[in-house]
C-alpha cells in the first residue's frame, strides 16, 4: 500500500485562519495556500498506509479523553537563527496543547516518535523566505490578537503536490461537532473531505 505523510493539528478558526493564511502568502511564502493555518500537534510523519485504521482509532481515543480549552494568540516570535520561522505566539492554551501532543505521540501508540526540537506551540506565518520578508512578518503581525475555545483537532495528509488535506476532525467529549475548521484556500479545487472511521 505504500506510505503516507500525516500531520495532526489544531485549526485556527475563521476569520483568523484565512486572514493569517493570506498574510503568509503576502509575505512571499509559497507554501501558504497548501497549509491551513494551525497549531501543530504532530509534525509531518511518514507511516505505512495500512496503519491508518489503527491511527484513526488512537486519535479517536485521545479526543474522547480530551476536554475543551481556551486558546489565545498574541503578537509574534521567531525561531531565528536556529530555524527560519516567524510565528504568532500562543499565550494561552500552550500547556493544554503540550499535554495533547504528548498523548498523540504516546510511546505505546501508533504515532510514537521523537521531535527534532522541544515542543513549542505556535502558528507559523513565515517560513524559509528572505530575511527582509521575515522581518516584515514579525513587525506587521506584532499586534495580532485572537481567542477561541478549542473543541477538536484534525488529521491531515500531505499530497504529492505538497498540499495538506484534512482526513478527519476529532471532537473532544462534550463539545459537539466542531464548527471552526478554516475553509481556507488551496491551489486546487477540492471536494469536501469525507470522514472515515475513528
Amino acid at each position: 500500500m505504500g506510505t503516507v505523510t500525516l500531520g495532526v493539528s489544531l485549526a485556527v478558526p475563521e476569520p483568523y485562519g484565512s486572514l493569517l493564511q493570506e498574510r503568509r502568502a503576502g509575505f512571499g511564502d509559497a507554501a501558504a495556500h497548501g497549509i491551513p493555518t494551525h497549531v501543530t500537534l504532530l509534525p509531518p510523519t511518514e507511516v505505512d498506509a495500512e496503519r491508518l485504521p489503527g491511527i484513526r482509532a488512537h486519535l479517536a481515543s485521545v479526543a474522547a479523553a480530551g476536554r475543551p480549552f481556551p486558546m489565545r494568540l498574541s503578537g509574534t516570535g521567531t525561531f531565528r537563527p536556529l530555524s527560519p520561522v516567524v510565528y504568532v505566539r500562543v499565550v494561552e492554551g500552550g500547556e493544554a496543547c503540550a499535554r495533547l501532543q504528548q498523548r498523540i505521540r504516546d510511546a505505546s501508540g501508533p504515532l510514537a516518535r521523537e521531535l527534532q526540537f522541544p515542543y513549542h506551540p505556535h502558528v507559523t506565518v513565515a517560513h524559509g523566505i528572505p530575511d527582509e520578508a521575515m522581518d516584515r512578518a514579525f513587525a506587521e503581525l506584532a499586534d495580532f490578537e485572537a481567542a477561541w475555545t478549542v473543541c477538536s483537532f484534525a488529521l491531515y495528509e500531505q499530497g504529492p503536490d505538497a498540499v495538506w488535506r484534512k482526513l478527519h476532525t476529532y471532537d473532544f467529549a462534550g463539545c459537539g461537532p466542531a464548527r471552526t475548521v478554516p475553509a481556507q484556500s488551496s491551489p486546487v479545487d477540492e471536494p469536501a473531505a469525507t470522514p472515515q472511521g475513528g
Side-chain angles (χ1 to χ4, degrees), residues 154-157 164-169 181 193-194:
L155 173 66
Y156 290 81
E157 179 180 348
W164 287 91
R165 295 174 175 86
K166 186 178 65 156
L167 297 181
H168 190 69
T169 298
V181 175
T194 303

Side-chain angles (χ1 to χ4, degrees), residues 78-86 130-136 138:
T78 183
F79 293 131
R80 293 184 292 173
L82 187 62
S83 182
V85 171
V86 170
D131 280 340
E132 182 179 334
M134 301 276 274
D135 292 342
R136 191 159 65 90
F138 187 89

Side-chain angles (χ1 to χ4, degrees), residues 18-160:
S18 287
L19 184 154
L20 289 177
Q21 189 181 46
E22 291 302 320
R23 294 304 304 272
R24 182 171 179 173
F27 297 134
D29 191 329
H33 288 299
I35 307 173
T37 308
H38 67 282
V39 176
T40 297
L41 296 174
L42 177 78
T45 301
E46 188 173 315
V47 301
D48 292 331
E50 64 189 17
R51 293 172 53 200
L52 265 171
I55 289 169
R56 291 177 182 273
H58 169 65
L59 293 176
S61 175
V62 171
R67 294 293 179 269
F69 61 90
M71 176 78 85
R72 187 163 68 89
L73 309 179
S74 180
T76 50
T78 183
F79 293 131
R80 293 184 292 173
L82 187 62
S83 182
V85 171
V86 170
Y87 58 86
V88 170
R89 297 184 305 127
V90 173
V91 296
E92 183 178 4
E95 290 183 7
C97 290
R99 290 192 298 269
L100 192 55
Q101 64 88 27
Q102 281 185 321
R103 291 197 291 269
I104 288 169
R105 294 188 302 105
D106 187 89
S108 65
L111 292 173
R113 59 161 291 176
E114 295 296 319
L115 299 180
Q116 184 178 0
F117 300 106
Y119 182 71
H120 184 280
H122 64 281
V123 178
T124 297
V125 290
H127 180 213
I129 59 177
D131 280 340
E132 182 179 334
M134 301 276 274
D135 292 342
R136 191 159 65 90
F138 187 89
E140 291 184 12
L141 291 171
D143 295 330
F144 181 82
E145 298 277 342
W148 70 96
T149 298
V150 175
C151 281
S152 65
F153 60 82
L155 173 66
Y156 290 81
E157 179 180 348
Q158 187 179 38

